Amino acid sequence: MTAASASRIRRPSLALRDPALFFALVTLWLSLGLFIILPFLRLLQATFIKDGALTLANLVKVWGKAYNRRAFSGSIILATGVSLAGTLLAYLFALAVTRTHWPRWVRWLLSSITILPLISPPFTSSISLTLALGPNGMLLKALGLGELNFYGFWGTWLSETLTYFPVAFMVLAAILSAMDPNLDDAAFSLGASRRRMFWTVTVPLSMPGIANSLLLLFGSSLADFATPLILGGHKFPVLPTQAYLQITGMYDLRGGATLSVLLLLPALLVYGIQRWMIGRKSYVTVTGKSGARSNFATLPRGLEIAMVIVCGLVALFIAYLYFIILWGSAVRVWGVDNSFTMEHYAYVFTHGRKAITDTLKIGITSTVLGSLLAVVLGYLFQRFRFAGRKTMEFVSMLNYALPGTVVGIAYIIAFNEKPLLLTGTITILVAAYIFRYYATGIRSVMASLQQIDPSLEEASMSLGAGRVRTFMEVTVPLIIPAVLAGMRYLFIHSMTAISATIFLVSVRWTLLTTRILESMTELQFSQASAFSIVLIILVFIADIVMGWALRRSSLRFGTTQETSYDNTGA
Amino acid sequence: MTTPALELQHVAKVFRKDRDIVRAVDDVTLVVEKGEFITFLGPSGCGKTTTLRMIAGFELPTEGRILIGGRDMTNIPANKRGIGFVFQNYALFPHMSVFHNVAYGLKSRGEDPGRIREKVGNALELVGLAQAVHRYPNQLSGGEQQRVALARVLALEPSLLLMDEPLSNLDAKLRLHMRTEIRRLQKRLGITCIYVTHDQAEALTMADRIMVMQKGKVEQIGTPQEIYNHPRTLFVADFIGQANAIRLRTSGYADGKAWAKVPGGWQLAARTSGGTILEKGTEAALVIRPERIRLEADAQAAGTLAATVAAATFVGSHVEYELDLGEGNTLKATVPYDPNARLHQEGARVGVRIDQESALFIPIEAKQG
Ligand SMILES: Nc1ncnc2c1ncn2[C@@H]1O[C@H](COP(=O)(O)OP(=O)(O)OP(=O)(O)O)[C@@H](O)[C@H]1O
Ligand SMILES: [Mg+2]
């Protein structure tokens, strides 16, 4: 691939003109075909084709069951609720961090605490909410609430909101701090009050970010599998868990596939709207050279008071949830025998050892291979013109746009029989992670290449360096920050994601996340907590190391690489 | 005398960032009369913007008082001052049409819709953009955005109009045009105006008076001619126009004139800056404008200094010479180009005739220069 050439002149055949590029494209199309197109088509086939004929029978049958219809509306209602509450909460946090004159450590603390849910496995808040508000819940006892059945919509909604609002926070904080403070000054000197300024300038200019985070959270909640599985219960079915139970409980692959296709429709709709919005030129970016350094105006007093209360309580609550999980991991039996013990950790490091090493192996392999692939694809998409480029770009991102459950079901359908009997192998686990979570890497590589003038590469070639050397010595060092950002995202998700891989694990390869789920279903809360703590610590360390490397490399080249944690479809 | 439109009394601003302390503005005192056009001129970072932002109310002064129309406004917030501010990047609201941008301030005031429509129309008429009411800022050229920004503040009929390098984002041609345009509007409406720039041509052509600043301090306040012909400090002489400065020790003083021995060997008499008395032996700079120097082919001509031409550059209407006076002294001279005369070649000996009326002694203070 690296020896390929960018040629814009039409000439007979790519295979003759540029064999290296041709070979690279064929290889890439084959792997995209195998791991993205094929599973997707097999999923559609399982849903819409029966006995060799196109049919809606499956859909009709699934839709005919009232419980499934409830799962569909449950998914939509939950996603709407999470999207609204999460965006509101994120906006308050983002305002507090970017727009207030609160002491710096307070703002630092607020933005740090939002990182925790981002790097934690998707179960974390469900587990700690169970410990706090579930049977024998600590907070219940402390508040003297007695029995409160929070399983169902409210528990799921609360847990997902806390888990996903940090994604929206990042989007909103970015847009709030990118605004021109001179606009505040302008409004102010034109006689506007703080209130009027906030509602006529700040809020309208945040609209693109607000819309984006509404969609992002809607998509995340729609695709979330772990939370409703633990907290949803029977009363509150949603599509991903329903599809999972259909397959694992009733061995009904077709029914599961059909349910996941139902999930696909709103998910693709949301993804489509999001892409369309990004494509539109946003007016926020239209500002000239800014003049003086200036500060954002003070927010309306009432709003600040509300922010102090909400952000304070939520931050405290999150901290409490993490504390409770730490505590829960070190007591004998939660709520019954609260004496201190390390036996759960002992268990994790003996019986759970294989899960730890397997998870690390899979995480590291996915990260390394996935980021290599991301560099290659990002480079191709950004620097080369070839037939089918747009299609290839779309296809390569498809698994990222799909909810994890859909991908997982598509994978078991596609890879469950010979000659592609891959379920249960490390190959399929790694492939599932790579083709889902390399998307951030591809995007950031493309973005950073876009900022590197092609004349740099031309300069290198005119100085006598070959294509390979130019790529290795000029291009690669410049995109390292982007690659690191992609790796960070890949690693976090390959360590913590479960929605796709739950269908693909086997006795040969176990994951920490599946062990957590098992412990939870066996009501071994303390064990689940210990597993979670170990996983959080592993990811946290890796995240800090990679964050440090990222900052260093960005500093060195004077570029800034935004880090993306976005959690869509974890 | 009527009350001045604006008064700054010993205004200072100190920024604290971490352990850094920056005295961005230091003891600025200024009185602006109604209808005056003042420019703040100075190098980057000298505190022009900070001073302007304190007048607008975006920053509070650390020390001193600000009076607007005789009222102490030091602690009044920006939205209660009734001052117009035009930003370097225009700061138009990108999500509002031109109409709503211009109407923004009127709505803040709670005027009724009919009046607002009328006033917005008038303001846009004034800047010649009546046809663009329904467009958005990103559909306007830089010059048009600039006019909208102007209309937006003019609609409020402010008592004071502040502008921070309003033309610096425009191309050279448009800049020249907008200069006269702004000046015309300001005269017609009789608005008191303060205009920040670091472009001396802009300051000289537009201002009634210029305040030259350096490192947060006022160097000199005066009309363009005063600043040009009677710079108080070497910094002002150098910053406004070009200036040769020859370091000398004076050998006498009488009646506002000092004299000193120049490198040619004879005594040259010239005014002292501000008519200050320079005692014999004071270290001073003799400041001579390059365009106040004439060259003669005869190096021995009476009343001239002998010099060697070090470089001659033809720039069209003028020829710029670099002259070597010996003893490490050099002079720049700008001589009108005469197509009928030959240029003095490099290495030629020439006689340098200095217009003594325009030359000026500026004492060199201990730290300066
Ligand atoms: N908000 C601030 N915090 C800290 N220092 C500041 C701040 N604003 C300005 N300064 C400092 O104050 C000094 C004066 O800045 P100011 O913007 O007034 O300069 P200026 O004359 O307008 O320069 P320019 O021509 O570059 O616009 C500079 O040293 C600047 O770094
Ligand atoms: Mg400035």
Side-chain angles (χ1 to χ4, degrees):
Chain A
M1 195 297 299
T2 53
S5 85
S7 173
R8 286 184 192 159
I9 307 160
R10 247 175 221 285
R11 262 176 274 160
S13 150
L14 185 68
L16 294 177
R17 184 170 87 235
D18 198 336
L21 177 61
F22 180 75
F23 177 73
L25 287 179
V26 169
T27 317
L28 289 169
W29 269 121
L30 280 178
S31 37
L32 294 179
L34 182 60
F35 290 112
I36 296 180
I37 300 176
L38 174 78
F40 190 63
L41 291 181
R42 296 276 282 148
L43 177 74
L44 295 183
Q45 185 193 20
T47 312
F48 293 113
I49 294 182
K50 204 170 186 182
D51 306 324
L54 205 60
T55 170
L56 291 178
N58 283 320
L59 221 49
V60 171
K61 188 173 141 206
V62 163
W63 193 251
K65 288 198 184 121
Y67 199 67
N68 287 337
R69 285 203 300 275
R70 267 178 65 201
F72 184 80
S73 57
S75 270
I76 301 288
I77 292 168
L78 178 66
T80 309
V82 169
S83 145
L84 290 174
T87 300
L88 181 64
L89 189 56
Y91 199 52
L92 294 180
F93 264 75
L95 283 172
V97 169
T98 60
R99 293 295 179 92
T100 60
H101 302 284
W102 298 358
R104 208 185 286 161
W105 64 267
V106 174
R107 288 182 289 147
W108 179 84
L109 216 61
L110 282 180
S111 65
S112 310
I113 214 142
T114 63
I115 305 226
L116 280 176
L118 287 175
I119 62 169
S120 306
F123 298 117
T124 314
S125 62
S126 319
I127 298 175
S128 45
L129 278 172
T130 308
L131 297 184
L133 298 174
N136 291 322
M138 188 170 132
L139 200 59
L140 281 189
K141 284 185 188 163
L143 297 177
L145 281 177
E147 273 303 289
L148 173 125
N149 193 351
F150 91 123
Y151 289 105
F153 172 80
W154 292 107
T156 317
W157 170 79
L158 178 62
S159 177
E160 284 191 0
T161 302
L162 291 179
T163 306
Y164 293 120
F165 92 91
V167 184
F169 166 77
M170 310 251 299
V171 171
L172 291 168
I175 201 164
L176 278 174
S177 49
M179 268 177 223
D180 179 3
N182 278 339
L183 294 178
D184 286 14
D185 284 343
F188 218 36
S189 75
L190 291 168
S193 63
R194 289 196 219 166
R195 263 252 301 282
R196 179 160 145 76
M197 195 220 76
F198 178 74
W199 288 109
T200 55
V201 177
T202 313
V203 170
L205 286 176
S206 317
M207 256 9 244
I210 292 177
N212 190 18
S213 80
L214 283 173
L215 290 171
L216 218 55
L217 294 187
F218 190 90
S220 301
S221 163
L222 203 61
D224 190 11
F225 161 79
T227 315
L229 190 65
I230 293 179
L231 297 179
H234 267 302
K235 282 183 308 176
F236 186 66
V238 291
L239 286 176
T241 46
Q242 197 49 29
Y244 171 73
L245 296 174
Q246 199 78 21
I247 289 172
T248 55
M250 309 190 200
Y251 304 103
D252 175 10
L253 208 51
R254 240 177 233 282
T258 311
L259 279 168
S260 78
V261 166
L262 278 184
L263 185 60
L264 198 65
L265 300 176
L268 283 182
L269 187 67
V270 165
Y271 184 73
I273 300 179
Q274 227 178 328
R275 292 276 91 194
W276 172 74
M277 282 195 1
I278 291 171
R280 261 185 346 163
K281 198 169 185 259
S282 147
Y283 44 61
V284 180
T285 52
V286 186
T287 41
K289 230 186 306 167
S290 132
R293 271 185 276 173
S294 176
N295 293 323
F296 289 111
T298 328
L299 297 169
R301 178 170 305 273
L303 181 65
E304 279 223 20
I305 294 172
M307 276 159 51
V308 171
I309 296 171
V310 173
C311 297
L313 283 179
V314 170
L316 272 179
F317 191 57
I318 293 175
Y320 169 74
L321 291 182
Y322 277 82
F323 162 75
I324 207 177
I325 227 177
L326 188 63
W327 189 4
S329 71
V331 299
R332 207 145 264 147
V333 183
W334 181 255
V336 179
D337 178 0
N338 278 343
S339 54
F340 177 81
T341 174
M342 288 302 275
E343 69 187 32
H344 305 298
Y345 285 98
Y347 179 85
V348 166
F349 285 106
T350 52
H351 292 86
R353 185 189 209 114
K354 182 162 154 44
I356 298 180
T357 50
D358 281 2
T359 304
L360 278 173
K361 269 185 216 159
I362 290 168
I364 290 169
T365 317
S366 309
T367 306
V368 171
L369 294 178
S371 24
L372 276 178
L373 196 56
V375 171
V376 170
L377 284 172
Y379 190 69
L380 270 179
F381 295 156
Q382 180 62 38
R383 283 289 195 262
F384 290 82
R385 296 288 166 271
F386 50 87
R389 185 176 58 97
K390 279 275 162 215
T391 320
M392 193 174 189
E393 197 180 323
F394 174 78
V395 168
S396 68
M397 304 264 182
L398 185 63
N399 274 8
Y400 172 75
L402 300 180
T405 316
V406 177
V407 175
I409 293 176
Y411 267 47
I412 39 166
I413 296 176
F415 302 114
N416 215 12
E417 50 199 58
K418 286 187 174 155
L420 289 174
L421 182 55
L422 292 173
T423 31
T425 63
I426 187 172
T427 313
I428 201 65
L429 288 167
V430 168
Y433 285 134
I434 289 180
F435 288 96
R436 227 164 119 54
Y437 297 121
Y438 72 167
T440 306
I442 297 179
R443 286 221 185 106
S444 54
V445 166
M446 283 175 73
S448 90
L449 278 173
Q450 197 167 25
Q451 288 175 359
I452 301 170
D453 198 318
S455 66
L456 265 180
E457 289 156 327
E458 286 160 12
S460 161
M461 296 217 242
S462 75
L463 292 170
R467 290 216 164 84
V468 177
R469 198 171 143 219
T470 298
F471 180 77
M472 295 310 288
E473 291 184 16
V474 177
T475 314
V476 167
L478 287 170
I479 58 174
I480 275 186
V483 178
L484 280 170
M487 285 179 85
R488 185 177 183 177
Y489 183 87
L490 244 168
F491 186 75
I492 293 177
H493 286 85
S494 340
M495 293 288 287
T496 59
I498 184 164
S499 52
T501 36
I502 186 80
F503 297 99
L504 308 172
V505 289
S506 63
V507 269
R508 271 190 287 163
W509 294 93
T510 44
L511 297 173
L512 277 171
T513 41
T514 45
R515 290 306 302 262
I516 298 174
L517 184 61
E518 278 165 29
S519 310
M520 282 305 281
T521 43
E522 290 158 14
L523 303 183
Q524 299 284 344
F525 295 146
S526 293
Q527 224 174 64
S529 303
F531 270 119
S532 299
I533 293 288
V534 170
L535 181 52
I536 291 172
I537 288 174
L538 283 176
V539 173
F540 191 65
I541 291 172
D543 186 58
I544 284 184
V545 170
M546 284 197 263
W548 172 81
L550 184 60
R551 266 192 302 281
R552 261 192 63 114
S553 63
S554 317
L555 274 185
R556 224 170 86 216
F557 302 117
T559 57
T560 48
Q561 184 65 49
E562 68 172 282
T563 49
S564 168
Y565 279 104
D566 97 62
N567 236 340
T568 319
Chain B
M1 223 172 120
T2 54
T3 44
L6 169 74
E7 247 181 289
L8 302 184
Q9 300 175 345
H10 307 286
V11 168
K13 178 76 192 180
V14 178
F15 286 113
R16 289 203 174 73
K17 261 243 162 88
D18 302 324
R19 256 161 270 129
D20 260 15
I21 293 181
V22 184
R23 272 192 95 80
V25 174
D26 199 358
D27 193 22
V28 169
T29 295
L30 170 72
V31 178
V32 181
E33 298 303 334
K34 283 212 173 74
E36 251 193 318
F37 193 107
I38 304 275
T39 61
F40 292 176
L41 179 64
S44 189
C46 70
K48 308 180 292 288
T49 297
T50 308
T51 310
L52 204 66
R53 288 173 58 80
M54 285 191 287
I55 301 173
F58 301 146
E59 312 270 1
L60 290 183
T62 320
E63 294 158 27
R65 291 206 311 159
I66 296 174
L67 280 69
I68 297 169
R71 266 184 66 204
D72 187 340
M73 293 269 197
T74 315
N75 293 312
I76 306 286
N79 55 351
K80 305 268 159 61
R81 288 198 189 191
I83 289 181
F85 198 104
V86 176
F87 295 83
Q88 186 173 2
N89 65 350
Y90 321 136
L92 294 180
F93 303 123
H95 56 300
M96 296 181 197
S97 66
V98 167
F99 179 87
H100 286 107
N101 263 285
V102 179
Y104 191 89
L106 297 165
K107 281 191 199 152
S108 297
R109 261 192 212 166
E111 298 209 13
D112 67 74
R115 292 279 294 151
I116 290 180
R117 209 162 316 127
E118 184 189 326
K119 284 190 176 178
V120 170
N122 289 343
L124 286 173
E125 200 76 58
L126 215 52
V127 296
L129 267 184
Q131 77 287 355
V133 259
H134 296 303
R135 286 203 256 162
Y136 280 81
N138 60 2
Q139 300 167 325
L140 299 174
S141 72
E144 288 167 336
Q145 291 181 25
Q146 172 68 70
R147 285 165 207 256
V148 175
L150 209 55
R152 186 171 68 174
V153 295
L154 291 180
L156 292 176
E157 293 154 23
S159 62
L160 192 57
L161 178 58
L162 309 178
M163 293 189 252
D164 189 1
E165 307 200 26
L167 304 184
S168 64
N169 281 337
L170 301 181
D171 64 52
K173 240 216 174 102
L174 201 52
R175 204 148 56 209
L176 285 183
H177 176 70
M178 285 304 288
R179 260 189 215 170
T180 42
E181 188 80 6
I182 290 176
R183 190 64 169 123
R184 183 182 62 80
L185 272 176
Q186 182 265 339
K187 278 206 177 116
R188 189 167 135 204
L189 303 172
I191 295 184
T192 315
C193 183
I194 299 182
Y195 184 105
V196 164
T197 177
H198 59 237
D199 178 343
Q200 46 156 310
E202 225 165 82
L204 291 171
T205 53
M206 296 178 86
D208 292 322
R209 285 191 301 148
I210 299 174
M211 175 166 104
V212 185
M213 296 181 72
Q214 190 208 3
K215 295 186 182 147
K217 284 197 176 8
V218 178
E219 287 277 326
Q220 189 171 357
I221 301 175
T223 64
Q225 286 95 324
E226 273 168 8
I227 300 271
Y228 191 79
N229 294 325
H230 306 278
R232 282 291 171 77
T233 64
L234 204 49
F235 172 81
V236 175
D238 203 39
F239 193 73
I240 314 288
Q242 286 192 314
N244 293 297
I246 304 174
R247 278 162 169 272
L248 298 161
R249 231 170 247 291
T250 57
S251 45
Y253 173 88
D255 294 339
K257 284 201 168 189
W259 52 89
K261 202 164 79 67
V262 288
W266 45 277
Q267 299 279 340
L268 189 146
R271 294 168 300 137
T272 61
S273 83
T276 39
I277 299 168
L278 295 187
E279 282 179 32
K280 187 178 168 189
T282 312
E283 208 179 327
L286 176 63
V287 172
I288 307 157
R289 300 277 181 203
E291 65 274 16
R292 310 263 67 179
I293 293 176
R294 291 289 165 270
L295 300 185
E296 294 186 12
D298 179 6
Q300 253 63 51
T304 65
L305 303 176
T308 311
V309 176
T313 314
F314 172 66
V315 292
S317 60
H318 289 84
V319 183
E320 290 175 4
Y321 288 101
E322 287 222 22
L323 305 163
D324 187 356
L325 292 179
E327 299 170 34
N329 287 302
T330 58
L331 279 184
K332 277 202 194 90
T334 307
V335 180
Y337 176 59
D338 175 1
N340 300 316
R342 285 185 51 218
L343 300 188
H344 302 284
Q345 298 300 315
E346 270 175 41
R349 296 287 288 170
V350 291
V352 176
R353 188 176 299 281
I354 294 168
D355 173 10
Q356 295 192 25
E357 284 307 307
S358 75
L360 192 68
F361 280 109
I362 298 177
I364 295 173
E365 284 146 30
K367 267 268 148 196
Q368 213 181 17

